[in-house]
Amino acid sequence: MVKKPLLLFPLPISAEKSKKQGFPGKMFTPSKSRQIERNEHKITELDRVLSNKSASLQKEAGNIIPEMILVIETAGEIKDFFKAVKKTPGMEFLAEYETDFEAEDDFYNIDKNGNRSEENVDARFYLTMTNQRALKELQKYWKEYKKTKEKQNFKRGTTKFRLLFEQLKNIRPYNVSDRIRDTGIEEYIQEIKLYDFDFVRFEIELAFKGSDQANRKAYEEVSHLLNLHNGEEVKGSRTIISEISYHAFIAKAPIQVFDDLTENTNISFLKSQQILFFRPVGQMVFDITENIENLKKFPNVEENDGLPTNSRPVIALFDGLPLANHSLLEGRLQIDDPDEFSINYAGNQRFHGTAMASLIIHGDLDNKKKAILTRPLYVRPIMKLSTQVYQGECLPDDVLPIDLIHRAVLRMKVGDADNPPVAPEVKIINFSIGDAFRPFLNNMSSWAKLLDWLSYQFDILFVISAGNFSDDIVLEIPEAEFDNLSDDEIQKLALEEIIRTNFSRKILTPAESINSITVGAAHSDFSIPTNLYQRKNLVKSSSLLSPISRIGFGYRRSIKPEIIMSGGQKLFRKSPIQNLLGKTVLKIESIPFNINPPGNRAAFPGSLGQLNKSGYLCGTSNAAALTSRLAAQLYDVLISINDSGDKFIPIEFFTVIIKSLLVHSASWSKSSDFLLQVIKELPGSASNTSKKNVLPYLGYGSIDPERILYCTEKRVTIIGYGKLYDGQAHLYRFPLPPSLSKGKVNKKLTITLAYHSPLNFKTRQYRKAQLFFDNLKHNNHLELDRSYYDFRTSQLGTVQHDILIGDKADVFVDGDFLEIKVNCREDASELGKLSIKYGLAVTLEVKENNDIKIYEEIKQRVQTRIRPTL
């Protein structure tokens, strides 16, 4: 097979943006008289509630700010409600959160036949910081609402409040339960108590205010209340990042203060109206204690051939500290440790960073076709060694992860203090780290918001691991029958259990980040296990997800993880104690790394003085690292296109092009049909949505790196790129090779569009811009069908990917082409005049079992117009 270079589209044609059809649902809401009956007392009593709350706290501490966070719960959404809040004196918009509730007589959805539906009702929580003046204004709005519509006189910009009252389900003060909901703090406290610690460290996120003075007063109030209960701020931990409306610090307090997490608690800081959330701090533990004695037994590695030929890194690793003088890493790392995390970080305990660096630079060591990256890897340690609560490598508990990442990126891209940027050319950041206490449910974490903002602001792509799930797997079959099952039967039972427990397997924060690529683990590697002993391989297909890989969806049901990549074959054993009647309990191999396969083989530290050891490990961290490695290879592919002479891609488009290419080779294999069938057979599964239901498990599918690094005579990939503003569109023309019109030919068309969106943190819509391409199923030349993804779901994130196939005899003439239109529209408000960069990849291929060669035909027709530089 002859390898051919990727091609470049000529300059696109400006076109009119396509109209997107909305599909608004219908909802029953109460009459005005019923809304008045339901809410009159709640609204008129709010000022009294505020006075009582302020007075209660002032008994313990003076100078309490007389304001409170107000929770406004609505059925459905009030678009751009934050603008009406901005027009209300004394009221400050804080956040919009997505939720739902069970249908009830006052609120329910109406189906397409006009009947009541029992589906959950989509709902919102709007949080506003409110003082006495704001409550008076709110009560004025309420009086206007109670009038007949003809007599209402809402001042300009506040008519959203009329909609609000029509859809209002509840209005109340923010409480202790709100501050701990979905944060993992309760589980964290219970775990800390097992270690008999007297004090606990935790994050306090404050309500972000519109002025420095207001933020300072809120911080001082909470600090004072904290001191009253023998707590204190961890010195230097306070962090304000105004760009994402974030204000937080790390606190230390007696663990007993969390014994009562109800409104009846006598711990005043838990009830402070300046606090949004309490969260765990630190975590992401890579436990190394169980295998530390076996380091000498780990296999040796081959020599480190050839040092980097280019001194400028384009890939960064934010992780644990690697063993820099390991034989496979020496001379290949640019380690930057301004926080001095390397102090007391023993060489024989630097596992996670060493393994990730090895996988990025060398790939899976058992892959005989691997090639060593020609550029150094920039490494910023963000984990350190812990010997207290957790034994192993973990995020520090004296600095907020958000602060650490923010400072790390700024130092890398723009410099800090009087220092210039240390790695300004980095485009990709590998982030194989997640918060085990924060599975993603509905609402964006501050951590994910930071990554999204950094991505757009500094033109970088975070490659994030989806997270690992390490609980037992319980198969619905008696133990006595388990050993006689076929591989297919075991796989079917394992997939059924993964689907049944999917709520517990959600991706870990910050994997919901919409501008990032999230990677799940495919159950594959290059190892050849010689003896499984009593271990069982539950998934036989290499293109299905690993049993330990966490699943999606992402924010607003977008596709997360977008792709799955080799993460090693993780094995299970039958539990020695089987105490579930009629079922078989399987336990995961608990140690994070092994001497023997299976798994991805990577460099590991040895015992003292050993610098040439390797071992096997599994998980989504590996998958993310191997994806970052592929990104580095794609960067060099783009450089080679620029070096070819007659074409040039501006560097500013490299990130979004690489993002599109990383997803471009993803597809569902035949084994995905197996998963699809399992989903269809489960109770309650609707046949018309079963394909959509596969997306959380596989995303767009497993990726094949070979398919995007080069073309062949039968597979042609063309790259496009550009900038769009709201309401604009670009039209690309993919030339059709004449040989396709000679008869029946099996053909496949793949289209991938990727971009980074600016964010609106005031609204649930969040993504200011949406880019999308039109449905290529409806083209005038090739008869194609969609066999994989749900076309509408694929437009919910920042990567749209589609695969169409056909085998008909298509009729067209030389000079015909497929039109691919890339559109830009405002999604969340306030996009304004911001431009959105995008990358586009389109591949046409024919099966190998024919004599048709399409590369030269397409190349000649593409080159009739050389694309000028944008």
Side-chain angles (χ1 to χ4, degrees):
M1 177 179 60
V2 179
K3 296 181 180 180
K4 306 277 190 178
L6 304 183
L7 301 178
L8 196 62
F9 272 113
L11 189 70
I13 301 168
S14 294
E16 183 179 347
K17 178 182 73 70
S18 300
K19 294 181 179 179
K20 278 185 66 68
Q21 289 186 335
F23 298 90
K26 292 184 178 180
M27 181 176 61
F28 175 86
T29 56
S31 65
K32 176 181 284 189
S33 60
R34 174 61 178 152
Q35 283 294 73
I36 293 172
E37 177 188 348
R38 292 178 66 256
N39 297 301
E40 174 76 16
H41 180 73
K42 297 175 187 176
I43 293 174
T44 56
E45 285 292 294
L46 282 173
D47 48 357
R48 184 183 63 80
V49 172
L50 172 58
S51 296
N52 290 344
K53 283 186 173 291
S54 299
S56 174
L57 289 175
Q58 282 172 342
K59 289 178 182 178
E60 289 202 57
N63 300 318
I64 295 297
I65 306 171
E67 58 186 1
M68 69 179 178
I69 299 174
L70 193 62
V71 180
I72 305 170
E73 184 181 357
T74 65
E77 179 181 21
I78 312 296
K79 185 171 172 58
D80 291 343
F81 177 60
F82 70 93
K83 292 182 178 179
V85 170
K86 193 174 181 180
K87 295 282 186 178
T88 304
M91 187 176 286
E92 205 163 357
F93 191 89
L94 297 179
E96 175 185 346
Y97 295 118
E98 185 174 5
T99 184
D100 59 22
F101 59 86
E102 293 181 357
E104 55 187 53
D105 289 344
D106 286 326
F107 299 98
Y108 56 82
N109 293 316
I110 300 172
D111 64 24
K112 60 183 179 181
N113 298 319
N115 300 319
R116 172 173 171 166
S117 167
E118 294 306 317
E119 290 183 349
N120 279 10
V121 178
D122 187 31
R124 298 289 181 277
F125 279 170
Y126 297 99
L127 305 188
T128 67
M129 184 60 78
T130 308
N131 59 21
Q132 289 282 6
R133 183 183 181 189
L135 290 178
K136 294 297 183 187
E137 291 294 318
L138 180 67
Q139 289 164 351
K140 287 181 184 178
Y141 299 151
W142 178 244
K143 288 178 181 178
E144 289 300 318
Y145 167 74
K146 291 191 293 183
K147 298 176 183 177
T148 61
K149 199 163 188 177
E150 296 75 23
K151 294 184 178 180
Q152 289 175 357
N153 185 26
F154 284 93
K155 63 182 181 182
R156 186 174 180 179
T158 65
T159 54
K160 295 286 184 182
F161 278 95
R162 180 170 58 208
L163 292 175
L164 173 78
F165 296 138
E166 290 172 355
Q167 297 171 221
L168 185 64
K169 186 173 186 294
N170 195 15
I171 187 166
R172 59 175 178 80
Y174 201 65
N175 58 37
V176 174
S177 295
D178 294 315
R179 295 184 184 94
I180 64 174
R181 183 179 293 116
D182 299 334
T183 64
I185 190 71
E186 291 179 280
E187 295 84 351
Y188 174 67
I189 295 298
Q190 292 304 314
E191 191 167 314
I192 296 295
K193 284 182 176 178
L194 297 177
Y195 294 88
D196 294 326
F197 280 86
D198 295 327
F199 283 81
V200 61
R201 289 185 176 184
F202 53 96
E203 175 187 349
I204 294 178
E205 182 176 350
L206 304 175
F208 183 82
K209 306 292 186 67
S211 71
D212 292 341
Q213 181 182 7
N215 281 321
R216 166 59 64 177
K217 287 183 68 176
Y219 162 72
E220 290 174 348
E221 175 184 313
V222 173
S223 296
H224 186 63
L225 292 173
L226 185 65
N227 294 154
L228 293 176
H229 299 279
N230 298 315
E232 61 182 1
E233 176 201 359
V234 172
K235 188 176 181 181
S237 66
R238 183 182 176 219
T239 300
I240 294 180
I241 305 176
S242 58
E243 291 86 354
I244 63 169
S245 302
Y246 179 76
H247 181 196
F249 65 91
I250 298 173
K252 178 183 177 183
I255 199 165
Q256 291 80 11
V257 301
F258 289 99
D259 285 348
D260 182 1
L261 292 174
T262 71
E263 284 300 302
N264 297 322
T265 179
N266 60 2
I267 307 299
S268 55
F269 78 82
L270 294 177
K271 297 187 285 187
S272 169
Q273 289 299 302
Q274 305 303 323
I275 296 176
L276 272 181
F277 298 111
F278 297 104
R279 296 195 188 97
V281 66
Q283 300 99 53
M284 198 292 165
V285 185
F286 190 74
D287 189 353
I288 58 178
T289 54
E290 292 187 41
N291 246 25
I292 201 75
E293 298 301 320
N294 292 322
L295 296 177
K296 293 181 180 180
K297 302 176 184 178
F298 277 73
N300 293 344
V301 297
E302 55 270 28
E303 293 300 317
N304 184 8
D305 297 325
L307 292 177
T309 56
N310 190 316
S311 63
R312 295 182 177 272
V314 296
I315 307 293
L317 173 66
F318 287 8
D319 208 279
L321 181 68
L323 184 63
N325 55 348
H326 189 285
S327 64
L328 290 184
L329 302 180
E330 189 173 12
R332 300 186 176 279
L333 305 179
Q334 182 179 315
I335 296 178
D336 182 28
D337 184 24
D339 296 308
E340 298 184 330
F341 284 1
S342 59
I343 295 175
N344 299 322
Y345 208 142
N348 66 347
Q349 295 177 315
R350 300 180 187 180
F351 274 88
H352 203 264
T354 299
M356 295 305 106
S358 171
L359 289 170
I360 292 172
I361 294 169
H362 296 275
D364 189 329
L365 295 177
D366 281 342
N367 181 1
K368 304 305 180 186
K369 295 182 180 180
K370 64 182 182 296
I372 306 175
L373 296 188
T374 60
R375 297 172 184 270
L377 177 66
Y378 173 82
V379 180
R380 173 66 183 260
I382 62 170
M383 291 200 293
K384 61 197 317 187
L385 211 58
S386 172
T387 57
Q388 295 184 16
V389 178
Y390 304 111
Q391 304 294 312
E393 299 173 282
C394 62
L395 292 170
D397 65 356
D398 57 353
V399 60
L400 288 166
I402 289 179
D403 177 38
L404 184 57
I405 301 306
H406 183 232
R407 288 189 289 106
V409 172
L410 291 181
R411 177 179 169 85
M412 190 178 71
K413 298 295 287 185
V414 298
D416 55 5
D418 294 325
N419 301 312
V422 293
E425 295 185 22
V426 162
K427 296 288 186 184
I428 312 294
I429 299 177
N430 188 88
F431 205 76
S432 294
I433 288 174
D435 187 343
F437 288 102
R438 296 284 310 281
F440 173 70
L441 298 177
N442 289 310
N443 299 299
M444 296 293 291
S445 65
S446 297
W447 202 351
K449 289 177 183 178
L450 175 72
L451 301 192
D452 282 335
W453 177 76
L454 291 171
S455 298
Y456 180 80
Q457 188 72 20
F458 296 109
D459 188 34
I460 51 181
L461 175 65
F462 286 92
V463 177
I464 307 177
S465 57
N468 297 332
F469 184 81
S470 57
D471 286 6
D472 296 347
I473 284 184
V474 181
L475 302 186
E476 298 290 318
I477 190 170
E479 181 199 1
E481 300 178 25
F482 174 74
D483 291 329
N484 297 320
L485 295 177
S486 67
D487 290 345
D488 277 345
E489 289 170 326
I490 291 176
Q491 180 171 268
K492 183 174 185 293
L493 288 169
L495 291 175
E496 286 176 349
E497 173 63 9
I498 290 171
I499 295 165
R500 267 193 296 269
T501 58
N502 60 10
F503 185 80
S504 302
R505 295 172 175 267
K506 300 300 184 185
I507 57 176
L508 297 179
T509 287
E512 74 273 20
S513 162
I514 67 165
N515 281 335
S516 304
I517 290 290
T518 302
V519 188
H523 194 63
S524 66
D525 54 55
F526 289 92
S527 69
I528 305 175
T530 55
N531 194 337
L532 296 182
Y533 302 102
Q534 298 299 315
R535 300 180 294 174
K536 287 288 184 181
N537 195 343
L538 303 186
V539 177
K540 71 172 189 175
S541 172
S542 61
S543 56
L544 286 177
L545 78 162
S546 165
I548 67 172
S549 185
R550 286 183 173 267
I551 63 171
F553 282 109
Y555 187 60
R556 295 176 66 189
R557 298 190 68 77
S558 60
I559 296 174
K560 287 285 181 179
E562 285 92 347
I563 55 177
I564 59 174
M565 176 66 127
S566 171
Q569 302 173 71
K570 193 68 174 179
L571 304 182
F572 287 72
R573 298 176 186 267
K574 279 198 303 183
S575 173
I577 300 175
Q578 296 288 332
N579 53 9
L580 296 178
L581 186 64
K583 299 182 180 183
T584 302
V585 179
L586 303 174
K587 301 191 79 67
I588 193 173
E589 290 188 324
S590 60
I591 53 176
F593 50 87
N594 268 307
I595 298 172
N596 300 310
N600 303 115
R601 187 161 73 95
F604 275 174
S607 59
L608 190 63
Q610 292 181 313
L611 302 173
N612 63 342
K613 293 296 181 178
S614 67
Y616 293 90
L617 73 166
C618 300
T620 58
S621 289
N622 303 9
L626 291 171
T627 302
S628 296
R629 167 183 170 78
L630 177 58
Q633 294 172 311
L634 287 169
Y635 185 95
D636 287 336
V637 167
L638 299 183
I639 290 293
S640 69
I641 291 175
N642 283 353
D643 290 344
S644 64
D646 58 351
K647 312 176 188 72
F648 184 81
I649 306 172
I651 293 292
E652 65 175 309
F653 294 100
F654 272 31
T655 304
V656 287
I657 292 173
I658 290 170
K659 184 176 179 178
S660 70
L661 289 171
L662 285 175
V663 178
H664 193 58
S665 72
S667 66
W668 294 355
S669 68
K670 287 185 177 180
S671 57
S672 65
D673 295 336
F674 190 98
L675 175 60
L676 183 60
Q677 190 60 38
V678 172
I679 291 174
K680 282 182 177 180
E681 292 174 359
L682 287 176
S685 178
S687 60
N688 63 333
T689 62
S690 54
K691 284 185 179 179
K692 184 186 291 189
N693 292 338
V694 172
L695 290 168
Y697 302 92
L698 301 182
Y700 290 120
S702 58
I703 61 176
D704 179 0
E706 295 295 310
R707 290 177 51 81
I708 51 172
L709 293 173
Y710 56 85
C711 299
T712 69
E713 292 175 332
K714 298 176 183 293
R715 186 185 72 240
V716 184
T717 299
I718 311 182
I719 297 170
Y721 60 87
K723 290 180 184 178
L724 286 170
Y725 296 87
D726 177 32
Q728 291 185 333
H730 282 163
L731 194 65
Y732 289 88
R733 291 176 171 172
F734 191 107
L736 293 173
S739 57
L740 276 190
S741 63
K742 295 178 180 178
K744 287 189 174 184
V745 180
N746 286 306
K747 64 193 78 71
K748 180 161 76 170
L749 179 71
T750 306
I751 315 103
T752 310
L753 171 69
Y755 60 101
H756 284 164
S757 174
L759 298 316
N760 185 334
F761 299 108
K762 298 293 188 184
T763 170
R764 168 254 184 190
Q765 286 170 290
Y766 187 63
R767 180 185 62 175
K768 283 186 179 180
Q770 181 194 23
L771 270 61
F772 62 97
F773 57 77
D774 292 349
N775 193 344
L776 267 292
K777 185 176 180 180
H778 309 303
N779 69 83
N780 297 321
H781 300 296
L782 301 184
E783 188 173 342
L784 300 169
D785 290 313
R786 180 172 294 106
S787 60
Y788 295 143
Y789 319 115
D790 179 82
F791 187 70
R792 290 181 62 202
T793 304
S794 69
Q795 299 176 43
L796 298 177
T798 57
V799 180
Q800 184 183 359
H801 181 63
D802 202 10
I803 298 176
L804 301 161
I805 58 175
D807 59 2
K808 302 293 190 298
D810 298 302
V811 179
F812 55 87
V813 298
D814 192 4
D816 281 347
F817 46 79
L818 290 177
E819 288 192 339
I820 298 126
K821 186 192 284 188
V822 178
N823 305 272
C824 178
R825 64 181 285 270
E826 184 179 71
D827 191 8
S829 57
E830 301 185 344
L831 176 58
K833 298 297 183 182
L834 292 175
S835 65
I836 311 300
K837 291 181 288 191
Y838 68 84
L840 176 71
V842 184
T843 295
L844 181 65
E845 60 188 296
V846 296
K847 280 198 170 182
E848 294 290 332
N849 59 354
N850 60 58
D851 296 329
I852 294 176
K853 298 178 180 180
I854 62 174
Y855 183 84
E856 291 301 329
E857 291 181 341
I858 293 176
K859 179 181 178 183
Q860 290 172 12
R861 285 155 181 78
V862 167
Q863 290 182 335
T864 55
R865 286 191 302 154
I866 300 299
R867 176 184 178 122
T869 302
L870 289 181

